[in-house]
Amino acid sequence: MGRIGQRFAKRRAEGRPAFVAFLTAGDPSLDRTVEAAVDLDRAGADVLELGVPFSDPLADGPVIQRASERALARGVTMSGVLGAVRRIRERSELPLLLFSYYNPMLQYGLLRLAREAKEAGVDGALVTDLPPEEAGEWIAAARASGIDTVFLASPTSPPERLRQVAEASRGFVYAISRTGVTGERQALSEDARPLIARLRALTDVPVALGFGIGTPEQVKDAAAVADGVVVGSALVRFLEEHPEGDLGARVKWLTSTT
């Protein structure tokens, strides 16, 4: 069991949900990403998803799209993200998950990426647009290097897709609370609870719920049904509006009800 699985197991034993934070790597800068990771660790975050900037982030809403555009304009690359991971690892043991589209990974080389990511200190990877039935090459490369493979499950996933997601996921399964793109919403989707129940019938791997969660009340609602809660757009937007703001305080506010 790697760092991600260990952190979820610890929180489960404590009767608490794991808090999974997402940031776009390189926005507002790679230096700030490193500092933000340290701040998140000190504030009690359990896992940090580092979004690899991509020119066509179809699964993301406008907040993360803008963050990717800013990071790309500053020249942030996969190599730069791995460099930031190395710097984070010098100061923190926070579990780290690369959050990427498949194209940047293919361009880098799957075997090379898995090897260098592990050496840098990455614990897992989630490939947004790669379904498990087409992920054999990546799963093999990741397993060989000891990288957890996290896959997405949506409310519209048929039973066979959910089974494949459950079998292919290590560390945790990322359950999408609703269909559509990332972004903050007013309330937690009614699709969340049935999806998590379907996944728990298939696997003992922890299930984290994300997409549309951005307030303490929504974090509390998500924590009532899932093993972990993922907050992305709300944190990315906070840094967009307050590049040097107190991200740790923001996380403590978000988790104040759990």
Side-chain angles (χ1 to χ4, degrees), residues 23-46:
L23 296 177
T24 300
D27 181 55
S29 68
L30 286 173
D31 286 344
R32 184 69 178 102
T33 297
V34 173
E35 294 300 326
V38 175
D39 290 345
L40 289 168
D41 190 7
R42 291 172 178 165
D46 294 296

Side-chain angles (χ1 to χ4, degrees), residues 65 71 97 110 116 124 132 147 169 171 193 208 227 231 235:
Q65 285 182 17
L97 182 82
L110 298 181
E116 292 185 8
I147 297 285
S169 291
R193 188 182 294 272
D227 302 296
V231 176
L235 296 176

Side-chain angles (χ1 to χ4, degrees), residues 104-124:
M105 298 172 64
L106 282 175
Q107 291 292 322
Y108 201 84
L110 298 181
L111 287 171
R112 176 192 173 199
L113 176 61
R115 182 182 67 253
E116 292 185 8
K118 186 64 175 182
E119 291 171 352
V122 170
D123 300 295

Side-chain angles (χ1 to χ4, degrees), residues 16-72:
R16 297 170 51 198
F19 183 83
V20 182
F22 172 95
L23 296 177
T24 300
D27 181 55
S29 68
L30 286 173
D31 286 344
R32 184 69 178 102
T33 297
V34 173
E35 294 300 326
V38 175
D39 290 345
L40 289 168
D41 190 7
R42 291 172 178 165
D46 294 296
V47 179
L48 173 57
E49 296 177 345
L50 285 173
V52 178
F54 183 52
S55 59
D56 197 19
L58 296 178
D60 293 305
V63 171
I64 295 176
Q65 285 182 17
R66 291 195 301 268
S68 282
E69 290 170 1
R70 290 191 296 268
L72 288 172

